[in-house]
PDB file of all heavy atoms in Angstrom:
ATOM      1  N   TRP A 111      90.333  54.901 -15.964  1.00  0.00           N
ATOM      2  CA  TRP A 111      91.666  55.160 -15.401  1.00  0.00           C
ATOM      3  C   TRP A 111      92.748  54.670 -16.375  1.00  0.00           C
ATOM      4  O   TRP A 111      93.692  55.404 -16.699  1.00  0.00           O
ATOM      5  CB  TRP A 111      91.803  54.467 -14.045  1.00  0.00           C
ATOM      6  CG  TRP A 111      93.098  54.727 -13.344  1.00  0.00           C
ATOM      7  CD1 TRP A 111      94.354  54.380 -13.745  1.00  0.00           C
ATOM      8  CD2 TRP A 111      93.269  55.417 -12.090  1.00  0.00           C
ATOM      9  NE1 TRP A 111      95.298  54.795 -12.822  1.00  0.00           N
ATOM     10  CE2 TRP A 111      94.663  55.429 -11.806  1.00  0.00           C
ATOM     11  CE3 TRP A 111      92.389  56.002 -11.187  1.00  0.00           C
ATOM     12  CZ2 TRP A 111      95.179  56.000 -10.641  1.00  0.00           C
ATOM     13  CZ3 TRP A 111      92.912  56.578 -10.028  1.00  0.00           C
ATOM     14  CH2 TRP A 111      94.283  56.587  -9.768  1.00  0.00           C
ATOM     15  N   ASP A 112      92.599  53.435 -16.850  1.00  0.00           N
ATOM     16  CA  ASP A 112      93.601  52.856 -17.758  1.00  0.00           C
ATOM     17  C   ASP A 112      93.702  53.654 -19.068  1.00  0.00           C
ATOM     18  O   ASP A 112      94.787  53.830 -19.625  1.00  0.00           O
ATOM     19  CB  ASP A 112      93.272  51.398 -18.055  1.00  0.00           C
ATOM     20  CG  ASP A 112      93.470  50.493 -16.840  1.00  0.00           C
ATOM     21  OD1 ASP A 112      94.118  50.921 -15.870  1.00  0.00           O
ATOM     22  OD2 ASP A 112      92.935  49.368 -16.852  1.00  0.00           O
ATOM     23  N   ALA A 113      92.547  54.135 -19.563  1.00  0.00           N
ATOM     24  CA  ALA A 113      92.554  54.920 -20.798  1.00  0.00           C
ATOM     25  C   ALA A 113      93.325  56.230 -20.597  1.00  0.00           C
ATOM     26  O   ALA A 113      94.100  56.644 -21.471  1.00  0.00           O
ATOM     27  CB  ALA A 113      91.123  55.207 -21.247  1.00  0.00           C
ATOM     28  N   GLY A 114      93.118  56.892 -19.467  1.00  0.00           N
ATOM     29  CA  GLY A 114      93.850  58.127 -19.181  1.00  0.00           C
ATOM     30  C   GLY A 114      95.334  57.873 -19.064  1.00  0.00           C
ATOM     31  O   GLY A 114      96.160  58.656 -19.571  1.00  0.00           O
ATOM     32  N   LEU A 115      95.698  56.795 -18.381  1.00  0.00           N
ATOM     33  CA  LEU A 115      97.106  56.457 -18.211  1.00  0.00           C
ATOM     34  C   LEU A 115      97.753  56.173 -19.565  1.00  0.00           C
ATOM     35  O   LEU A 115      98.867  56.659 -19.865  1.00  0.00           O
ATOM     36  CB  LEU A 115      97.212  55.237 -17.292  1.00  0.00           C
ATOM     37  CG  LEU A 115      98.631  54.790 -16.868  1.00  0.00           C
ATOM     38  CD1 LEU A 115      99.339  55.892 -16.094  1.00  0.00           C
ATOM     39  CD2 LEU A 115      98.532  53.504 -16.028  1.00  0.00           C
ATOM     40  N   ARG A 116      97.052  55.425 -20.412  1.00  0.00           N
ATOM     41  CA  ARG A 116      97.595  55.108 -21.739  1.00  0.00           C
ATOM     42  C   ARG A 116      97.732  56.361 -22.595  1.00  0.00           C
ATOM     43  O   ARG A 116      98.773  56.575 -23.247  1.00  0.00           O
ATOM     44  CB  ARG A 116      96.658  54.110 -22.424  1.00  0.00           C
ATOM     45  CG  ARG A 116      97.146  53.693 -23.818  1.00  0.00           C
ATOM     46  CD  ARG A 116      96.141  52.785 -24.506  1.00  0.00           C
ATOM     47  NE  ARG A 116      94.835  53.468 -24.724  1.00  0.00           N
ATOM     48  CZ  ARG A 116      93.732  53.144 -24.066  1.00  0.00           C
ATOM     49  NH1 ARG A 116      93.720  52.195 -23.162  1.00  0.00           N
ATOM     50  NH2 ARG A 116      92.604  53.796 -24.320  1.00  0.00           N
ATOM     51  N   ASP A 117      96.714  57.226 -22.594  1.00  0.00           N
ATOM     52  CA  ASP A 117      96.757  58.412 -23.452  1.00  0.00           C
ATOM     53  C   ASP A 117      97.861  59.369 -23.041  1.00  0.00           C
ATOM     54  O   ASP A 117      98.533  59.948 -23.903  1.00  0.00           O
ATOM     55  CB  ASP A 117      95.394  59.123 -23.409  1.00  0.00           C
ATOM     56  CG  ASP A 117      94.346  58.422 -24.262  1.00  0.00           C
ATOM     57  OD1 ASP A 117      94.686  57.479 -24.970  1.00  0.00           O
ATOM     58  OD2 ASP A 117      93.167  58.845 -24.203  1.00  0.00           O
ATOM     59  N   ILE A 118      98.057  59.571 -21.742  1.00  0.00           N
ATOM     60  CA  ILE A 118      99.103  60.526 -21.327  1.00  0.00           C
ATOM     61  C   ILE A 118     100.490  59.947 -21.574  1.00  0.00           C
ATOM     62  O   ILE A 118     101.413  60.677 -21.944  1.00  0.00           O
ATOM     63  CB  ILE A 118      98.914  60.955 -19.853  1.00  0.00           C
ATOM     64  CG1 ILE A 118      99.851  62.128 -19.522  1.00  0.00           C
ATOM     65  CG2 ILE A 118      99.160  59.809 -18.900  1.00  0.00           C
ATOM     66  CD1 ILE A 118      99.615  63.370 -20.355  1.00  0.00           C
ATOM     67  N   ARG A 119     100.654  58.640 -21.413  1.00  0.00           N
ATOM     68  CA  ARG A 119     101.964  58.045 -21.724  1.00  0.00           C
ATOM     69  C   ARG A 119     102.276  58.210 -23.204  1.00  0.00           C
ATOM     70  O   ARG A 119     103.402  58.563 -23.568  1.00  0.00           O
ATOM     71  CB  ARG A 119     101.950  56.564 -21.344  1.00  0.00           C
ATOM     72  CG  ARG A 119     102.088  56.302 -19.830  1.00  0.00           C
ATOM     73  CD  ARG A 119     101.919  54.825 -19.531  1.00  0.00           C
ATOM     74  NE  ARG A 119     102.172  54.521 -18.127  1.00  0.00           N
ATOM     75  CZ  ARG A 119     101.896  53.345 -17.557  1.00  0.00           C
ATOM     76  NH1 ARG A 119     101.359  52.362 -18.289  1.00  0.00           N
ATOM     77  NH2 ARG A 119     102.157  53.148 -16.274  1.00  0.00           N
ATOM     78  N   ASN A 120     101.282  57.924 -24.060  1.00  0.00           N
ATOM     79  CA  ASN A 120     101.508  58.084 -25.502  1.00  0.00           C
ATOM     80  C   ASN A 120     101.809  59.540 -25.856  1.00  0.00           C
ATOM     81  O   ASN A 120     102.647  59.822 -26.722  1.00  0.00           O
ATOM     82  CB  ASN A 120     100.270  57.609 -26.268  1.00  0.00           C
ATOM     83  CG  ASN A 120     100.085  56.103 -26.206  1.00  0.00           C
ATOM     84  OD1 ASN A 120     101.027  55.358 -25.915  1.00  0.00           O
ATOM     85  ND2 ASN A 120      98.876  55.646 -26.471  1.00  0.00           N
ATOM     86  N   THR A 121     101.125  60.461 -25.197  1.00  0.00           N
ATOM     87  CA  THR A 121     101.323  61.872 -25.487  1.00  0.00           C
ATOM     88  C   THR A 121     102.706  62.344 -25.053  1.00  0.00           C
ATOM     89  O   THR A 121     103.416  63.010 -25.814  1.00  0.00           O
ATOM     90  CB  THR A 121     100.233  62.725 -24.786  1.00  0.00           C
ATOM     91  OG1 THR A 121      98.959  62.406 -25.335  1.00  0.00           O
ATOM     92  CG2 THR A 121     100.493  64.212 -24.964  1.00  0.00           C
ATOM     93  N   LEU A 122     103.106  61.993 -23.818  1.00  0.00           N
ATOM     94  CA  LEU A 122     104.406  62.448 -23.313  1.00  0.00           C
ATOM     95  C   LEU A 122     105.569  61.851 -24.068  1.00  0.00           C
ATOM     96  O   LEU A 122     106.660  62.429 -24.096  1.00  0.00           O
ATOM     97  CB  LEU A 122     104.515  62.111 -21.820  1.00  0.00           C
ATOM     98  CG  LEU A 122     103.569  62.868 -20.889  1.00  0.00           C
ATOM     99  CD1 LEU A 122     103.745  62.403 -19.446  1.00  0.00           C
ATOM    100  CD2 LEU A 122     103.796  64.389 -20.978  1.00  0.00           C
ATOM    101  N   ASN A 123     105.330  60.708 -24.720  1.00  0.00           N
ATOM    102  CA  ASN A 123     106.391  60.069 -25.511  1.00  0.00           C
ATOM    103  C   ASN A 123     106.276  60.354 -27.008  1.00  0.00           C
ATOM    104  O   ASN A 123     107.033  59.826 -27.790  1.00  0.00           O
ATOM    105  CB  ASN A 123     106.378  58.562 -25.284  1.00  0.00           C
ATOM    106  CG  ASN A 123     106.798  58.170 -23.868  1.00  0.00           C
ATOM    107  OD1 ASN A 123     107.710  58.748 -23.336  1.00  0.00           O
ATOM    108  ND2 ASN A 123     106.101  57.212 -23.286  1.00  0.00           N
ATOM    109  N   HIS A 124     105.320  61.192 -27.371  1.00  0.00           N
ATOM    110  CA  HIS A 124     105.077  61.458 -28.802  1.00  0.00           C
ATOM    111  C   HIS A 124     106.216  62.321 -29.367  1.00  0.00           C
ATOM    112  O   HIS A 124     106.619  63.316 -28.758  1.00  0.00           O
ATOM    113  CB  HIS A 124     103.759  62.191 -28.978  1.00  0.00           C
ATOM    114  CG  HIS A 124     103.215  62.112 -30.372  1.00  0.00           C
ATOM    115  ND1 HIS A 124     103.749  62.843 -31.429  1.00  0.00           N
ATOM    116  CD2 HIS A 124     102.205  61.400 -30.908  1.00  0.00           C
ATOM    117  CE1 HIS A 124     103.091  62.581 -32.514  1.00  0.00           C
ATOM    118  NE2 HIS A 124     102.143  61.713 -32.241  1.00  0.00           N
ATOM    119  N   PRO A 125     106.744  61.964 -30.523  1.00  0.00           N
ATOM    120  CA  PRO A 125     107.879  62.724 -31.078  1.00  0.00           C
ATOM    121  C   PRO A 125     107.563  64.181 -31.355  1.00  0.00           C
ATOM    122  O   PRO A 125     108.453  65.035 -31.259  1.00  0.00           O
ATOM    123  CB  PRO A 125     108.205  61.969 -32.383  1.00  0.00           C
ATOM    124  CG  PRO A 125     106.993  61.142 -32.679  1.00  0.00           C
ATOM    125  CD  PRO A 125     106.394  60.805 -31.365  1.00  0.00           C
ATOM    126  N   GLU A 126     106.300  64.504 -31.664  1.00  0.00           N
ATOM    127  CA  GLU A 126     105.960  65.899 -31.937  1.00  0.00           C
ATOM    128  C   GLU A 126     105.937  66.737 -30.660  1.00  0.00           C
ATOM    129  O   GLU A 126     106.089  67.944 -30.731  1.00  0.00           O
ATOM    130  CB  GLU A 126     104.607  65.987 -32.643  1.00  0.00           C
ATOM    131  CG  GLU A 126     104.645  65.467 -34.061  1.00  0.00           C
ATOM    132  CD  GLU A 126     103.357  65.769 -34.811  1.00  0.00           C
ATOM    133  OE1 GLU A 126     103.181  66.935 -35.234  1.00  0.00           O
ATOM    134  OE2 GLU A 126     102.549  64.856 -34.988  1.00  0.00           O
ATOM    135  N   LEU A 127     105.762  66.122 -29.513  1.00  0.00           N
ATOM    136  CA  LEU A 127     105.843  66.838 -28.263  1.00  0.00           C
ATOM    137  C   LEU A 127     107.269  66.943 -27.783  1.00  0.00           C
ATOM    138  O   LEU A 127     107.673  67.939 -27.161  1.00  0.00           O
ATOM    139  CB  LEU A 127     104.983  66.154 -27.196  1.00  0.00           C
ATOM    140  CG  LEU A 127     104.851  66.882 -25.856  1.00  0.00           C
ATOM    141  CD1 LEU A 127     104.050  68.170 -26.040  1.00  0.00           C
ATOM    142  CD2 LEU A 127     104.188  66.000 -24.811  1.00  0.00           C
ATOM    143  N   LEU A 128     108.068  65.924 -28.078  1.00  0.00           N
ATOM    144  CA  LEU A 128     109.433  65.872 -27.578  1.00  0.00           C
ATOM    145  C   LEU A 128     110.427  66.665 -28.411  1.00  0.00           C
ATOM    146  O   LEU A 128     111.462  67.090 -27.921  1.00  0.00           O
ATOM    147  CB  LEU A 128     109.907  64.407 -27.519  1.00  0.00           C
ATOM    148  CG  LEU A 128     109.168  63.503 -26.527  1.00  0.00           C
ATOM    149  CD1 LEU A 128     109.621  62.062 -26.691  1.00  0.00           C
ATOM    150  CD2 LEU A 128     109.400  63.965 -25.110  1.00  0.00           C
ATOM    151  N   GLN A 129     110.104  66.859 -29.704  1.00  0.00           N
ATOM    152  CA  GLN A 129     111.070  67.499 -30.589  1.00  0.00           C
ATOM    153  C   GLN A 129     111.318  68.948 -30.188  1.00  0.00           C
ATOM    154  O   GLN A 129     110.466  69.614 -29.628  1.00  0.00           O
ATOM    155  CB  GLN A 129     110.580  67.456 -32.040  1.00  0.00           C
ATOM    156  CG  GLN A 129     109.391  68.389 -32.310  1.00  0.00           C
ATOM    157  CD  GLN A 129     109.010  68.381 -33.772  1.00  0.00           C
ATOM    158  OE1 GLN A 129     109.721  67.824 -34.597  1.00  0.00           O
ATOM    159  NE2 GLN A 129     107.888  69.004 -34.091  1.00  0.00           N
ATOM    160  N   GLU A 130     112.525  69.403 -30.472  1.00  0.00           N
ATOM    161  CA  GLU A 130     112.839  70.818 -30.284  1.00  0.00           C
ATOM    162  C   GLU A 130     112.338  71.553 -31.505  1.00  0.00           C
ATOM    163  O   GLU A 130     112.854  71.411 -32.603  1.00  0.00           O
ATOM    164  CB  GLU A 130     114.339  71.029 -30.110  1.00  0.00           C
ATOM    165  CG  GLU A 130     114.842  70.664 -28.726  1.00  0.00           C
ATOM    166  CD  GLU A 130     116.252  71.164 -28.492  1.00  0.00           C
ATOM    167  OE1 GLU A 130     116.881  71.666 -29.440  1.00  0.00           O
ATOM    168  OE2 GLU A 130     116.740  71.062 -27.359  1.00  0.00           O
ATOM    169  N   ALA A 131     111.327  72.361 -31.334  1.00  0.00           N
ATOM    170  CA  ALA A 131     110.737  73.096 -32.454  1.00  0.00           C
ATOM    171  C   ALA A 131     110.932  74.580 -32.212  1.00  0.00           C
ATOM    172  O   ALA A 131     111.154  75.022 -31.094  1.00  0.00           O
ATOM    173  CB  ALA A 131     109.254  72.770 -32.586  1.00  0.00           C
ATOM    174  N   THR A 132     110.844  75.376 -33.285  1.00  0.00           N
ATOM    175  CA  THR A 132     110.943  76.807 -33.089  1.00  0.00           C
ATOM    176  C   THR A 132     109.753  77.284 -32.291  1.00  0.00           C
ATOM    177  O   THR A 132     108.653  76.764 -32.399  1.00  0.00           O
ATOM    178  CB  THR A 132     110.958  77.539 -34.437  1.00  0.00           C
ATOM    179  OG1 THR A 132     109.777  77.212 -35.162  1.00  0.00           O
ATOM    180  CG2 THR A 132     112.178  77.173 -35.240  1.00  0.00           C
ATOM    181  N   GLN A 133     109.973  78.268 -31.454  1.00  0.00           N
ATOM    182  CA  GLN A 133     108.927  78.752 -30.576  1.00  0.00           C
ATOM    183  C   GLN A 133     109.069  80.264 -30.389  1.00  0.00           C
ATOM    184  O   GLN A 133     110.129  80.747 -30.022  1.00  0.00           O
ATOM    185  CB  GLN A 133     109.019  78.067 -29.215  1.00  0.00           C
ATOM    186  CG  GLN A 133     108.052  78.622 -28.179  1.00  0.00           C
ATOM    187  CD  GLN A 133     106.631  78.292 -28.544  1.00  0.00           C
ATOM    188  OE1 GLN A 133     106.278  77.139 -28.670  1.00  0.00           O
ATOM    189  NE2 GLN A 133     105.791  79.305 -28.687  1.00  0.00           N
ATOM    190  N   VAL A 134     108.037  80.972 -30.692  1.00  0.00           N
ATOM    191  CA  VAL A 134     108.001  82.395 -30.408  1.00  0.00           C
ATOM    192  C   VAL A 134     106.886  82.621 -29.414  1.00  0.00           C
ATOM    193  O   VAL A 134     106.113  81.731 -29.096  1.00  0.00           O
ATOM    194  CB  VAL A 134     107.744  83.213 -31.692  1.00  0.00           C
ATOM    195  CG1 VAL A 134     108.879  83.064 -32.669  1.00  0.00           C
ATOM    196  CG2 VAL A 134     106.420  82.816 -32.340  1.00  0.00           C
ATOM    197  N   ASN A 135     106.817  83.850 -28.909  1.00  0.00           N
ATOM    198  CA  ASN A 135     105.714  84.166 -28.000  1.00  0.00           C
ATOM    199  C   ASN A 135     104.393  83.914 -28.701  1.00  0.00           C
ATOM    200  O   ASN A 135     104.161  84.362 -29.809  1.00  0.00           O
ATOM    201  CB  ASN A 135     105.810  85.629 -27.565  1.00  0.00           C
ATOM    202  CG  ASN A 135     106.967  85.862 -26.610  1.00  0.00           C
ATOM    203  OD1 ASN A 135     107.639  84.928 -26.203  1.00  0.00           O
ATOM    204  ND2 ASN A 135     107.197  87.107 -26.269  1.00  0.00           N
ATOM    205  N   GLY A 136     103.511  83.207 -28.047  1.00  0.00           N
ATOM    206  CA  GLY A 136     102.245  82.824 -28.626  1.00  0.00           C
ATOM    207  C   GLY A 136     101.761  81.541 -28.026  1.00  0.00           C
ATOM    208  O   GLY A 136     102.328  81.024 -27.075  1.00  0.00           O
ATOM    209  N   VAL A 137     100.721  80.958 -28.608  1.00  0.00           N
ATOM    210  CA  VAL A 137     100.101  79.743 -28.076  1.00  0.00           C
ATOM    211  C   VAL A 137     100.281  78.597 -29.067  1.00  0.00           C
ATOM    212  O   VAL A 137      99.926  78.723 -30.244  1.00  0.00           O
ATOM    213  CB  VAL A 137      98.591  79.954 -27.808  1.00  0.00           C
ATOM    214  CG1 VAL A 137      97.985  78.685 -27.242  1.00  0.00           C
ATOM    215  CG2 VAL A 137      98.383  81.115 -26.845  1.00  0.00           C
ATOM    216  N   THR A 138     100.837  77.497 -28.601  1.00  0.00           N
ATOM    217  CA  THR A 138     100.956  76.279 -29.380  1.00  0.00           C
ATOM    218  C   THR A 138     100.063  75.219 -28.752  1.00  0.00           C
ATOM    219  O   THR A 138     100.110  75.010 -27.537  1.00  0.00           O
ATOM    220  CB  THR A 138     102.413  75.765 -29.413  1.00  0.00           C
ATOM    221  OG1 THR A 138     103.261  76.783 -29.945  1.00  0.00           O
ATOM    222  CG2 THR A 138     102.526  74.509 -30.252  1.00  0.00           C
ATOM    223  N   THR A 139      99.217  74.562 -29.555  1.00  0.00           N
ATOM    224  CA  THR A 139      98.347  73.505 -29.038  1.00  0.00           C
ATOM    225  C   THR A 139      98.773  72.162 -29.607  1.00  0.00           C
ATOM    226  O   THR A 139      99.092  72.037 -30.787  1.00  0.00           O
ATOM    227  CB  THR A 139      96.876  73.779 -29.383  1.00  0.00           C
ATOM    228  OG1 THR A 139      96.719  73.877 -30.810  1.00  0.00           O
ATOM    229  CG2 THR A 139      96.403  75.083 -28.755  1.00  0.00           C
ATOM    230  N   PHE A 140      98.784  71.154 -28.736  1.00  0.00           N
ATOM    231  CA  PHE A 140      99.117  69.780 -29.109  1.00  0.00           C
ATOM    232  C   PHE A 140      97.873  68.917 -28.897  1.00  0.00           C
ATOM    233  O   PHE A 140      97.300  68.888 -27.814  1.00  0.00           O
ATOM    234  CB  PHE A 140     100.252  69.239 -28.233  1.00  0.00           C
ATOM    235  CG  PHE A 140     101.570  69.964 -28.423  1.00  0.00           C
ATOM    236  CD1 PHE A 140     101.841  71.100 -27.698  1.00  0.00           C
ATOM    237  CD2 PHE A 140     102.507  69.484 -29.321  1.00  0.00           C
ATOM    238  CE1 PHE A 140     103.044  71.777 -27.848  1.00  0.00           C
ATOM    239  CE2 PHE A 140     103.720  70.155 -29.486  1.00  0.00           C
ATOM    240  CZ  PHE A 140     103.979  71.301 -28.748  1.00  0.00           C
ATOM    241  N   ASP A 141      97.465  68.213 -29.950  1.00  0.00           N
ATOM    242  CA  ASP A 141      96.290  67.344 -29.890  1.00  0.00           C
ATOM    243  C   ASP A 141      96.741  66.016 -30.507  1.00  0.00           C
ATOM    244  O   ASP A 141      96.510  65.756 -31.678  1.00  0.00           O
ATOM    245  CB  ASP A 141      95.150  67.974 -30.688  1.00  0.00           C
ATOM    246  CG  ASP A 141      93.796  67.419 -30.277  1.00  0.00           C
ATOM    247  OD1 ASP A 141      93.764  66.381 -29.616  1.00  0.00           O
ATOM    248  OD2 ASP A 141      92.785  68.043 -30.628  1.00  0.00           O
TER     249      ASP A 141
END
């Protein structure tokens, strides 16, 4: 449980997820 909580917090606060990036129709994957 704690590992999941830690990983999702780190992901939601990650600058690459938060940044405004160009986006066209298609699939973008974040890992």
Side-chain angles (χ1 to χ4, degrees):
W111 183 296
D112 290 345
L115 186 61
R116 181 184 62 249
D117 283 354
I118 190 60
R119 284 174 174 169
N120 290 340
T121 295
L122 293 178
N123 291 320
H124 199 286
E126 290 189 77
L127 186 67
L128 295 173
Q129 71 176 351
E130 283 193 353
T132 58
Q133 174 68 59
V134 295
N135 289 354
V137 181
T138 302
T139 59
F140 295 86
D141 201 344

